[in-house]
Amino acid sequence: MSSAPDTPRSPDVDVVLRRLSERLSIPDKPRLAPLDELVLTILSQSTTDENRDRAWRSLARRFPRSAQTNTPVAPRGSVGPGPICWESVRRATPEQLEDAIRVAGLANQKVPAIRNALERLAAEVGRLSLDHLRDMDDGEAIAYLTTFRGVGVKTAACVLCFSLRRPVLPVDTHVLRIARRLAWVPPKASADHTYQALARRVPADERFRMHMLLITFGRSLCVARTPRCEACPLGSDCPKVGVPPRLAR
């Protein structure tokens, strides 16, 4: 009779947080208004941070917010308007907008998503703002944002995490890959399944720190194709699920 295969033992959250914090620093993440964060995250889809930021700067150059524009005082605990005039973006032609964000890739998908969000807000809210998210709880806000074209749970969670400072843990490609390798989720778990699993596993007050550390870890050591297991701060505590044996040393 053959024995059942061993189930990988996943490391505790506090071990991962402690080990990664000892070796890695949390990158600075400027806080943006909710609508700014939504568009920035849409730009980040399927591209590099460098190209996302280049597209963002291009939007700011082509559709700048005038220094003379009168803007309302931001609500308590929020941030003021950013460098882009969203009304100008809304009035731009699809071709103008595609040209502005082309460097981020997939402009033919991202432009309709951005335009849809702006048109919906103008029609339904009466202003180009997502500040009304502050009146929703986390579940309501995620459900609302994911009704927008091109916005999934990961994009919605980024808005809540980074702009509203809600205790959510966005699951991007790095977080998903590492959660699988740590056996926190099954090897083929989806991003949405992983989002729910990490919400149960990671304490609310540690989700922002965990997200930022996993992002840094995934970019520097636990990379996709050739993870640097020999330099990993988790060492033998990592079950290395899915890592080729020649690399898992």
Side-chain angles (χ1 to χ4, degrees), residues 181-200:
R181 287 176 174 172
L182 293 178
W184 281 352
V185 295
K188 295 184 179 180
S190 67
D192 288 357
H193 172 89
T194 302
Y195 173 79
Q196 298 294 338
L198 294 184
R200 293 189 296 269

Side-chain angles (χ1 to χ4, degrees), residues 71-142:
T71 56
V73 176
R76 176 184 287 272
S78 68
V79 291
I84 299 169
C85 176
W86 296 118
E87 182 59 35
S88 296
V89 173
R90 187 173 78 90
R91 293 179 179 179
T93 66
E95 294 74 20
Q96 289 173 325
L97 194 49
E98 284 185 14
D99 188 57
I101 69 167
R102 195 177 308 281
V103 67
L106 299 179
N108 62 328
Q109 297 177 30
K110 296 175 182 179
V111 165
I114 295 169
R115 287 171 57 85
N116 171 262
L118 297 178
E119 292 296 345
R120 271 192 61 180
L121 291 173
E124 298 175 6
V125 183
R127 64 185 187 280
L128 301 184
S129 169
L130 280 169
D131 284 344
H132 53 290
L133 289 174
R134 303 178 195 282
D135 299 325
M136 304 179 190
D137 64 27
D138 296 346
E140 291 172 332
I142 293 286

Side-chain angles (χ1 to χ4, degrees), residues 137-218:
D137 64 27
D138 296 346
E140 291 172 332
I142 293 286
Y144 171 72
L145 286 170
T146 52
T147 64
F148 283 74
R149 179 173 179 170
V151 177
V153 172
K154 174 253 182 177
T155 297
C158 284
V159 175
L160 268 65
C161 177
F162 300 130
S163 182
L164 303 184
R165 294 296 192 256
R166 298 286 183 86
V168 298
L169 202 166
V171 176
D172 75 340
T173 183
H174 299 295
V175 175
L176 178 60
R177 178 175 69 252
I178 296 167
R180 289 170 172 173
R181 287 176 174 172
L182 293 178
W184 281 352
V185 295
K188 295 184 179 180
S190 67
D192 288 357
H193 172 89
T194 302
Y195 173 79
Q196 298 294 338
L198 294 184
R200 293 189 296 269
R201 182 180 288 267
V202 181
D205 61 350
E206 292 288 14
R207 290 173 191 161
F208 178 83
R209 185 162 73 109
M210 177 67 83
H211 174 79
M212 299 303 288
L213 285 170
L214 292 182
I215 293 293
T216 304
F217 185 43

Side-chain angles (χ1 to χ4, degrees), residues 58-73:
S58 176
L59 282 175
R61 286 195 303 270
R62 298 194 187 202
F63 309 102
R65 179 180 295 278
S66 171
Q68 285 74 40
T69 299
N70 292 323
T71 56
V73 176

